[in-house]
Structures are given as structure tokens and as C-alpha cells.
Amino acid sequence: MPSKQPEYRRYLVPIDTSSTQQLFCDCLVIGAGIAGLRAAIEAAETNNVMLVTKAALADSNTWNAQGGIASVLGEEDSIEEHVADTLQTGCGLCDEDTVRRVVSNGPELVRQLLDWGADFDMINGRIDITREGGHSKARIAHAHGDSTGRGIAEALVRKVREKHNINIIERFFAIELITSKDKQCLGIIGYRAGSGFQIVWAANTILATGGAGRLYRETTNPAVATADGLGMAYRAGAVLRDMEFMQFHPTTLYVAGASRALITETLRGEGAYLLDNKGRRFMPEYHEAAELAPRDIVSRAILDRMLSTKSTHVYLDVRHFDKNHFAKRFPLISELCESFDIDVSVDLIPVRPSAHYMIGGVKTDFEARTNIANLYACGEVASTGLHGANRLGSNSLLEGLVFGRIAGRQAAQNRRDGANGMAYHHMKYQIPVSDRSHLDTDDVRNSLRALMWRNVGITRKGRHLEEAEDIIRFWQRYVMDKVFDCSRGWECQNMLTVASLMTRAARIRTESRGVHYRQDYPKRNDAKFAHHFEQSDTE
Ligand SMILES: Cc1cc2nc3c(=O)[nH]c(=O)nc-3n(C[C@H](O)[C@H](O)[C@H](O)COP(=O)(O)OP(=O)(O)OC[C@H]3O[C@@H](n4cnc5c(N)ncnc54)[C@H](O)[C@@H]3O)c2cc1C
């Protein structure tokens, strides 16, 4: 599905090799979440690796992940059951071979993390596993109760630091992938704090830039999740797939002024109830699994109840939990609630849904390859076919781990095969000076996030999607032709690009499937829509 955007320009910034500092590496990894870190470790077996991240190492979705990582670790469990649960949740759009590959690589890679020092919670010398909504067996490994992402990331960072041939560069903003005329990725142009614009020429580039949650006003994602990788891959000619599928998390803390901190669904897994503003438990009215229903169903039920009770939120009730156990099992949430004077043994926790996980992304094959030579993608930025139309909780850390290793291995192999090499390329890309009248990009970003929440949110309608497309197109007309010299501007341009792709895909899919719910087409339509939507700029 070609989707050339208005105000299209191949590169957001001018490129001039005669006046820009240049660096060289075998393998460039963009992003330091679970996918990028794991990829870097693997590629470093034989390659010189440069690992860049736009903020500090701790600024990633990975670092914030709470509940855990899914993997078949229990004797009662089996690969086939984990595969079946993933396929069931994916609503007909998973790629079964990919699901089987990810699931069967899980146990080895999670145990390897333990060997590398990830401090998973243990019981009788084995990794302690719990159960979560959508999983038929206990298979969620967690660290420090609800600090799993941090526990994993710290272990991976330690491992990365042990490797003398990985050069970590923080506060390096990747702006564009540089490609040749015959569609090979040659590296990137980026902006490094303290040094300015730099070009990195790389034999292979691995995109691991994470998700797009910041496109929404309400989100669990940290500030870095502005869809940069999706935007730059699209401009480079990569195929993007399933962009209509944004997963919303049902329960984030709703206290005015607080960021939307996630309240893990493990709480519901362990017996928390959802109550409306009249104190009534409502989930049994919506699904037989009540609070353990899939995320999309719980999110819509909460929204429906908020509308019918004219309330801005609902409540999680954990008053029946043992207070000491709660504090030990969920230390982050305990601390968070305490900081807002919420005593969980007495008070209800106010919650509402938020944008959480980008299912769609850069289309990759079984070996993490994109359609651009020498460009690989892994983690949340990629669309591997694992999740289909809905992500099973705790499968995304697993995907980043498995496909991070695959991407790193493939990139290293490609380099060894001598299929390509890093080289200096002379390049001059000029951009006519645009109207530099003052533009408040923060205002555009905030307006975009509000629009996406209102019109491209948990429930969607054709009319609202068309309206959003028109408004985004209008904003693009005067934002995309500007040349910015700061990350806020480049992020704003990426957000607009990706928002328009998401909105377009959501308008075209006139059915409801997985996390994509159309009020005007509430039924799943397999006859017409049992397939993926792909978008690229190649017309
Ligand atoms: C609050 C929260 C809780 C979650 N809980 C769970 C859970 O319990 N289990 C689970 O499986 N999943 C969970 N998820 C989802 C999971 O954390 C993510 O899907 C996963 O961590 C993504 O990993 P990643 O490596 O692809 O991306 P990330 O971890 O997001 O890393 C992306 C990296 O790219 C960098 N980057 C981005 N743009 C640029 C740029 N332009 N230039 C340079 N660097 C850039 C970022 O700074 C960051 O380092 C949760 C997510 C959130 C937000």
C-alpha cells in the first residue's frame, strides 16, 4: 500500500560530508533497550560495535517494564501452550513460525540473563514464575517484584561494558538513516550532545529505537518513545506494517499532575478488582474472565464505564491484599501510591487506560532483515509477526531478547561474509531554506497527542479518523518543511509522520480486531481483513 506523505523530504537535515565529523564502525546499533543491548552483545562477538542512544542508558521502555518476561520455565508448562496462548491473543494475524521461534528460544535466553546477573526473583533455587492475563500457565519471570525491566537492563549493560569492542555513546540523537541510490543502508546522520552533527558510516545498522507511546496524551511510555525509528525508516523506504495496532494498557495511575505510571496487571492476576465510581465491581458484566480478560477488552470496558458514570477514571481495589506482602511483591507501586498519600490497605487506587505498546512497526523477516539492505530492526520498533493484532502481556521483552540476538548475529554474519563494508561516501544533500518563522513545536506536539487520544484512541470511528488525517496533514504542511537543529523539532516531525501512518491504517481497516476497535465496524471481518497492511513511500 503506497502512502507517500505530503511535504515529503528524504532527509530532515542537510548532509555535507565535507564539513561534518565522521565516524566508522562495523555494526551500528541505535537504541539501548533490551533489543539494542542484546543485539550489541551478539554482534560484538566478531564486530566493532557502536551503540548510540538519544538520552541516558536508563531512558527506555525496557527500564520501565514492570510485570515480567514470559517464558516456558515451569514443569507444568510447554512450548506448545505458550505458542497457543500467543496465537489466540493475536486474533489471526500472528506469524506462527515466528511465534514458535520466539517462544522456543525463550527459556535458554532467560536463563542466560540469569547467568549474566539479572536478579530475577527466585524460589527454591529456581526462577519464580507467576501467571498473567491471557497466559494459561504460570510463566512470567520477574525481578524485584515489579522492577523486571530494570533488573534485565542492568545485567545487559554490565555485559555490554565488559566488551572492549562496544563503544557506547549516550545523548546521540539518530536523525536519519543514510541510504544509497540502490537502497542500501550506509549509516546515519545524528546529533551528539557537545559535538554537534556527526555521520556514522556502518557496514550494518540495527534499528532498536522502541515504540511510539508519546504520540498519545495518555501514555505509560517515557519521553524517549517518540517513534523516531519508525519515522526515519519510513523516509528511508522501509516497509511499515500493522500501524493501526496500538495497545492500550487498562490501568495507569490517574492522579491529576502525576505522569501516567503503569499499575501492572499482575495485580489483577493476583486478585485485584476493578470498581466504578459508585464502588461497583463491573468487569464480570463485560467478560467471563472478569478482571483477567485480555487487555483490549478491559480497556474498553473501563472506558465504557467511565462514560456511563461520567467519571474521569475507575478504581483498582487491593484492600483485601496482605499489606506486607503487597509492599514486598510490588515495591514500586507501593512507593508510588504512598507518594500520593494513597494507603492501599484503606484507599482505592484511581486508574484509567493509556497508550502502552506499539504492535506495528518496521516489517522484518525471520532473520530481522528489513527490505533495505544492511538494515535490521528488532524490539518494539519492528513488526516481526509475533503479536498479530494484540500483544500477549510480557511477550515483548521476550521478543526484544530473541530478535535482538538474531539481529546482532545476522549483522555480524553479513559483515563476515563481506557482502558489504563500511566506507566513506561523499555526500551533499541541500535543503532550500524554509520559512523560519517562529514555530512552537511543543504546542504542535501537545495538540497532536490530544488529537490522537481523542480520535485514534481505544475506540475509533471513520469520521473521527478522517478528521484526524486532515488535521495532521495541515500540521505537516508547515512543520515538515522546516529545518530544525534540536531533538524536539526532529521528534515532532517523526511524530507527525508516524501519526499520519497510524491514522490512515486505522481508517482503512473497517473492522474490529485485537486492539483496533471501530465503533462503526464492531465485528471482525475475516473475509476482507485477515491480512496485514503495509505502508511505504515507494510509489
Ligand atoms: C511502563 C511499562 C511497563 C512495561 N511492562 C512490560 C512487561 O512487564 N513485560 C513486557 O514484556 N513488556 C513490558 N513493556 C513493554 C516493553 O518494556 C517494551 O516493549 C520493550 O522494553 C521495548 O524494548 P526495545 O529495546 O525495543 O525499546 P526500548 O526499551 O524503548 O529502547 C529504545 C531505545 O532507543 C533509543 N532511541 C529512541 N529514539 C532514538 C533516536 N532517535 N536516536 C537514538 N536513540 C534513540 C531510546 O533512548 C532507548 O534507548 C512495558 C512498557 C512500559 C512503558
Side-chain angles (χ1 to χ4, degrees):
M1 182 168 51
S3 62
K4 205 160 190 96
Q5 300 221 346
E7 322 313 327
Y8 178 84
R9 192 169 74 212
R10 170 62 188 92
Y11 295 109
L12 293 181
V13 290
I15 303 175
D16 185 352
T17 42
S18 63
S19 58
T20 313
Q21 202 183 355
Q22 290 162 67
L23 309 166
F24 296 84
C25 64
D26 293 330
C27 180
L28 169 68
V29 180
I30 314 171
I34 189 168
L37 290 166
R38 190 62 190 81
I41 294 167
E42 199 65 25
E45 289 294 309
T46 53
N47 279 204
N48 283 320
V49 178
M50 191 178 288
L51 174 66
V52 301
T53 176
K54 71 176 177 181
L57 283 175
D59 294 311
S60 65
N61 278 3
T62 298
W63 197 272
N64 288 280
Q66 292 183 356
I69 182 166
S71 186
V72 176
L73 299 165
E75 277 159 19
E76 311 279 284
D77 200 4
S78 68
I79 298 293
E80 281 316 309
E81 283 165 289
H82 190 178
V83 168
D85 291 343
T86 305
L87 294 177
Q88 164 78 19
T89 306
C91 303
L93 287 190
C94 297
D95 178 80
E96 192 168 337
D97 289 341
T98 301
V99 174
R100 189 156 278 110
R101 185 171 201 195
V102 170
V103 166
S104 38
N105 275 278
E108 177 208 341
L109 291 186
V110 171
R111 290 199 180 98
Q112 185 182 55
L113 281 179
L114 185 67
D115 291 344
W116 289 352
D119 40 9
F120 288 121
D121 298 328
M122 306 292 286
I123 187 159
N124 301 328
R126 308 177 70 150
I127 297 177
D128 186 18
I129 42 174
T130 47
R131 204 176 144 191
E132 222 177 55
H135 290 274
S136 56
K137 291 283 161 61
R139 62 171 75 102
I140 316 299
H142 39 89
H144 294 285
D146 53 7
S147 301
T148 309
R150 181 176 178 165
I152 292 174
E154 283 179 339
L156 288 172
V157 167
R158 271 196 304 274
K159 193 79 189 164
V160 162
R161 291 202 193 280
E162 279 171 20
K163 306 256 175 196
H164 65 277
N165 53 342
I166 301 181
N167 180 10
I168 306 171
I169 308 179
E170 292 174 271
R171 297 185 177 79
F172 186 115
F173 190 102
I175 304 167
E176 291 288 17
L177 297 162
I178 299 177
T179 47
S180 62
K181 284 205 176 70
D182 60 348
K183 224 172 170 185
Q184 293 199 35
C185 183
L186 306 174
I188 57 167
I189 179 157
Y191 189 89
R192 185 172 178 179
S195 305
F197 289 99
Q198 292 188 333
I199 291 171
V200 182
W201 301 114
N204 294 286
T205 301
I206 299 177
L207 196 60
T209 45
R214 298 300 286 197
L215 263 61
Y216 287 85
R217 193 189 72 202
E218 308 291 332
T219 181
T220 62
N221 287 194
V224 288
T226 49
D228 301 336
L230 297 167
M232 69 179 105
Y234 177 79
R235 287 188 296 276
V239 173
L240 268 54
R241 182 169 73 169
D242 292 343
M243 297 299 285
E244 63 275 38
F245 297 117
M246 164 60 77
Q247 186 174 53
F248 294 84
H249 196 286
T251 51
T252 48
L253 182 67
Y254 184 69
V255 180
S259 63
R260 300 289 174 258
L262 184 144
I263 307 286
T264 175
E265 61 201 341
T266 316
L267 273 183
R268 280 178 283 122
E270 297 191 14
Y273 301 125
L274 279 164
L275 308 181
D276 65 18
N277 66 351
K278 303 268 182 317
R280 288 175 305 221
R281 188 176 169 215
F282 57 89
M283 273 316 297
E285 293 170 37
Y286 291 88
H287 196 272
E288 75 241 13
E291 279 82 0
L292 290 183
R295 278 182 181 170
D296 56 307
I297 291 170
V298 181
S299 291
R300 282 201 300 279
I302 293 176
L303 197 68
D304 188 54
R305 195 43 71 115
M306 281 163 50
L307 283 173
S308 65
T309 58
K310 297 193 174 45
S311 176
T312 52
H313 57 276
V314 296
Y315 294 98
L316 257 184
D317 184 1
V318 295
R319 292 173 299 182
H320 49 293
F321 282 38
D322 177 80
K323 195 174 176 180
N324 291 332
H325 168 74
F326 186 88
K328 225 171 132 203
R329 176 76 181 89
F330 305 105
L332 265 188
I333 295 172
S334 286
E335 217 175 278
L336 180 72
C337 289
E338 266 170 35
S339 69
F340 289 101
D341 277 342
I342 298 168
D343 177 348
V344 295
S345 65
V346 182
D347 303 317
L348 298 171
I349 308 172
V351 291
R352 65 186 279 168
S354 289
H356 185 52
Y357 181 82
M358 184 62 203
I359 290 175
V362 181
K363 183 184 169 190
T364 54
D365 69 8
F366 215 52
E367 307 298 347
R369 286 182 292 235
T370 69
N371 61 315
I372 297 176
N374 315 327
L375 178 68
Y376 300 80
C378 51
E380 197 168 332
V381 73
S383 167
T384 64
L386 173 70
H387 307 301
N390 197 358
R391 175 185 71 116
L392 183 61
S394 295
N395 262 0
S396 45
L397 287 173
L398 179 66
E399 183 189 40
L401 193 64
V402 173
F403 269 100
R405 175 167 78 164
I406 292 172
R409 187 174 282 177
Q410 283 302 318
Q413 181 68 42
N414 197 24
R415 176 82 179 115
R416 274 201 305 278
D417 291 348
N420 59 327
M422 70 180 143
Y424 167 81
H425 301 263
H426 174 68
M427 207 173 154
K428 196 166 181 114
Y429 176 81
Q430 287 171 308
I431 301 174
V433 178
S434 62
D435 166 17
R436 286 172 194 262
S437 62
H438 179 69
L439 187 64
D440 183 349
T441 50
D442 282 351
D443 193 35
V444 178
R445 289 163 70 123
N446 291 338
S447 305
L448 175 68
R449 295 177 67 193
L451 176 74
M452 292 298 284
W453 181 248
R454 244 184 3 252
N455 288 35
V456 199
I458 299 168
T459 59
R460 298 152 176 199
K461 258 189 197 154
R463 192 160 44 82
H464 295 162
L465 294 166
E466 280 165 24
E467 181 189 59
E469 275 188 294
D470 286 347
I471 297 173
I472 295 168
R473 205 172 295 124
F474 175 65
W475 289 334
Q476 280 183 308
R477 288 218 306 261
Y478 58 84
V479 177
M480 297 310 289
D481 72 335
K482 300 282 180 295
V483 181
F484 293 103
D485 55 6
C486 65
S487 57
R488 298 292 289 176
W490 303 317
E491 285 177 350
C492 183
Q493 290 174 314
N494 287 326
M495 288 165 76
L496 283 171
T497 302
V498 175
S500 91
L501 297 173
M502 288 167 71
T503 309
R504 179 168 186 261
R507 172 178 54 77
I508 290 170
R509 188 175 282 280
T510 48
E511 64 151 1
S512 292
R513 182 185 296 267
V515 298
H516 170 69
Y517 185 78
R518 289 280 303 251
Q519 280 175 309
D520 42 359
Y521 295 94
K523 293 223 161 58
R524 176 167 151 175
N525 182 346
D526 277 336
K528 236 175 127 187
F529 287 109
H531 58 80
H532 301 274
F533 277 137
E534 297 184 354
Q535 301 186 73
S536 80
D537 77 303
T538 44
E539 268 179 311

